[in-house]
Amino acid sequence: MDSVNALADQTFLVKGQPSFVDTSAWLRRIEDASGEPDAREGQRIFHHPRLTRCASCHRHSGRGKIVGPDLTNVATQGDRGWLVRAIL
Protein backbone atom coordinates (compact mmCIF):
# COMPACT_ATOMS: atom_id res chain seq x y z
CA MET A 1 0.00 0.00 0.00
CA ASP A 2 1.37 3.42 -0.88
CA SER A 3 1.57 6.31 1.59
CA VAL A 4 -1.49 8.07 0.16
CA ASN A 5 -3.64 5.00 0.81
CA ALA A 6 -1.99 4.50 4.19
CA LEU A 7 -3.11 8.00 5.14
CA ALA A 8 -6.65 7.25 3.97
CA ASP A 9 -6.75 3.90 5.79
CA GLN A 10 -4.99 4.73 9.04
CA THR A 11 -5.50 1.19 10.37
CA PHE A 12 -2.93 0.07 7.74
CA LEU A 13 -0.14 1.37 9.97
CA VAL A 14 -1.10 -0.99 12.81
CA LYS A 15 -2.56 -4.04 11.00
CA GLY A 16 -0.35 -7.08 11.52
CA GLN A 17 2.17 -5.00 13.42
CA PRO A 18 5.10 -7.10 14.68
CA SER A 19 6.32 -7.08 18.25
CA PHE A 20 8.40 -4.02 19.11
CA VAL A 21 11.37 -6.26 19.89
CA ASP A 22 11.27 -8.12 16.55
CA THR A 23 13.57 -5.92 14.44
CA SER A 24 13.86 -8.48 11.63
CA ALA A 25 10.04 -8.63 11.25
CA TRP A 26 9.91 -4.84 11.02
CA LEU A 27 12.68 -4.84 8.39
CA ARG A 28 10.75 -7.46 6.36
CA ARG A 29 7.61 -5.32 6.62
CA ILE A 30 9.54 -2.33 5.25
CA GLU A 31 11.04 -4.41 2.42
CA ASP A 32 7.58 -5.78 1.53
CA ALA A 33 6.03 -2.32 1.22
CA SER A 34 5.00 -1.60 -2.34
CA GLY A 35 6.34 1.27 -4.40
CA GLU A 36 9.48 3.33 -4.22
CA PRO A 37 10.33 5.58 -1.26
CA ASP A 38 9.07 9.11 -1.78
CA ALA A 39 10.79 11.80 0.32
CA ARG A 40 7.99 14.33 -0.24
CA GLU A 41 5.36 11.86 0.98
CA GLY A 42 7.60 11.03 3.94
CA GLN A 43 7.73 14.72 4.83
CA ARG A 44 3.97 14.96 4.59
CA ILE A 45 3.51 11.97 6.89
CA PHE A 46 6.19 13.26 9.33
CA HIS A 47 4.42 16.62 9.65
CA HIS A 48 0.84 15.26 9.60
CA PRO A 49 -0.89 16.79 12.66
CA ARG A 50 -3.12 13.78 13.44
CA LEU A 51 -1.66 10.66 11.87
CA THR A 52 1.91 10.39 13.12
CA ARG A 53 2.54 13.64 14.96
CA CYS A 54 6.33 13.11 14.61
CA ALA A 55 6.92 16.86 14.33
CA SER A 56 5.20 17.45 17.65
CA CYS A 57 8.45 16.24 19.26
CA HIS A 58 11.04 16.02 16.48
CA ARG A 59 12.54 18.61 14.17
CA HIS A 60 13.59 18.00 10.58
CA SER A 61 15.16 20.64 8.33
CA GLY A 62 14.19 23.42 10.71
CA ARG A 63 10.51 22.40 11.04
CA GLY A 64 8.97 20.88 14.14
CA LYS A 65 9.65 20.94 17.86
CA ILE A 66 12.87 20.13 19.69
CA VAL A 67 11.54 17.93 22.49
CA GLY A 68 13.08 14.80 20.92
CA PRO A 69 16.18 14.45 18.74
CA ASP A 70 16.57 16.53 15.57
CA LEU A 71 16.15 14.03 12.73
CA THR A 72 17.56 16.15 9.90
CA ASN A 73 20.64 13.95 9.40
CA VAL A 74 19.25 10.62 10.58
CA ALA A 75 19.62 9.04 7.12
CA THR A 76 23.41 9.47 7.29
CA GLN A 77 23.83 7.99 10.77
CA GLY A 78 23.44 4.29 10.04
CA ASP A 79 21.74 1.65 7.96
CA ARG A 80 18.03 0.85 7.92
CA GLY A 81 18.46 -1.78 10.66
CA TRP A 82 20.09 0.76 12.94
CA LEU A 83 17.23 3.19 12.39
CA VAL A 84 14.53 0.56 13.07
CA ARG A 85 16.31 -0.53 16.26
CA ALA A 86 16.63 3.13 17.39
CA ILE A 87 12.91 3.75 16.82
CA LEU A 88 11.78 0.55 18.50
Side-chain angles (χ1 to χ4, degrees):
M1 175 178 287
D2 60 31
S3 59
V4 173
N5 290 326
L7 284 172
D9 176 12
Q10 295 178 14
T11 61
F12 169 76
L13 298 175
V14 295
K15 279 184 201 170
Q17 197 176 65
S19 160
F20 288 113
V21 296
D22 192 350
T23 305
S24 59
W26 281 99
L27 288 169
R28 283 191 305 277
R29 185 176 169 111
I30 292 167
E31 292 299 323
D32 291 345
S34 63
E36 292 297 315
D38 183 331
R40 197 162 37 199
E41 281 299 308
Q43 264 187 334
R44 195 168 83 111
I45 291 169
F46 182 88
H47 292 287
H48 196 282
R50 291 180 309 225
L51 178 61
T52 59
R53 300 182 46 209
C54 302
S56 65
C57 292
H58 297 283
R59 179 174 288 232
H60 190 281
S61 302
R63 286 185 61 201
K65 306 280 190 228
I66 31 179
V67 175
D70 185 318
L71 301 177
T72 302
N73 297 312
V74 74
T76 64
Q77 295 175 346
D79 64 5
R80 186 176 281 170
W82 169 86
L83 182 58
V84 169
R85 286 187 297 279
I87 291 169
L88 297 176

